[in-house]
Amino acid sequence: MLDETADRMRSDGRRLGAARRQVIEALSARTAPVSAEELAEELPTIHVSSIYRSLAVLEEIGVVRHVHLTHGAALYELADETPDSQYLVCDVCGRDIAAPAALFDKLRQVIEKDYGFVLQGGHFALPGHCIDCDPASISRPHPHAR
Ligand SMILES: [Zn+2]
Ligand SMILES: [Zn+2]
């Protein structure tokens, strides 16, 4: 991952500096998207402005992407970790589910054809509630029920 990113940056005339390297390492240790502030707390030796800059550069070259799970700040993750996912987030318990973006292909086609609009999926989570928070509203059997 790091070598690959270093190569990508070099071919772009940039360097993978210490801050950027540490940001990538911190992101790859995570299983869920994280805010720049949380990263700054985790990496106290790097100035917060440097973390923001690193995230911006890494996002520009496609190594990092950000999503908004709630009304809050952007949350960052490695772009390769969850390729083309659409987050679903529960309004009640805050739990998030990464669904494959391909599930929405049909909807995307209809919106494009009928409304002349290209939907940019993935950037914002789709709100709703999970089966645990409102089981009665979901018609299929509970996935954890046996
Ligand atoms: Zn955004
Ligand atoms: Zn829930």
Side-chain angles (χ1 to χ4, degrees):
M1 178 73 215
L2 279 171
D3 291 345
E4 215 177 283
T5 307
D7 288 347
R8 218 185 295 188
M9 294 194 79
R10 219 171 290 125
S11 68
D12 210 25
R14 299 195 235 218
R15 244 167 17 87
L16 180 62
R20 290 167 192 172
R21 193 175 286 269
Q22 277 179 266
V23 164
I24 292 175
E25 276 167 358
L27 286 176
S28 62
R30 295 278 185 153
T31 52
V34 62
S35 70
E37 288 76 14
E38 280 174 273
L39 279 177
E41 269 171 45
E42 196 178 315
L43 305 169
T45 57
I46 307 175
H47 194 270
V48 64
S49 65
S50 194
I51 288 184
Y52 275 104
R53 233 183 357 257
S54 297
L55 286 168
V57 170
L58 292 170
E59 187 159 23
E60 218 176 285
I61 62 166
V63 172
V64 163
R65 71 166 193 160
H66 79 268
V67 292
H68 304 269
L69 295 187
T70 56
H71 303 288
L75 300 176
Y76 296 86
E77 63 186 0
L78 293 179
D80 299 353
E81 302 273 288
T82 48
D84 298 325
S85 58
Q86 169 65 59
Y87 281 100
L88 313 173
V89 68
C90 177
D91 279 339
V92 183
C93 67
R95 148 182 186 210
D96 58 79
I97 298 167
L103 283 179
F104 301 90
D105 282 353
K106 187 109 199 177
L107 176 67
R108 231 187 302 275
Q109 284 164 18
V110 172
I111 290 177
E112 197 174 325
K113 190 166 145 280
D114 295 356
Y115 296 89
F117 186 84
V118 177
L119 193 64
Q120 189 218 349
H123 187 187
F124 290 99
L126 295 174
H129 42 250
C130 76
I131 192 165
D132 290 328
C133 292
D134 192 1
S137 71
I138 295 181
S139 52
R140 75 184 168 88
H142 193 294
H144 306 305
R146 301 223 168 244

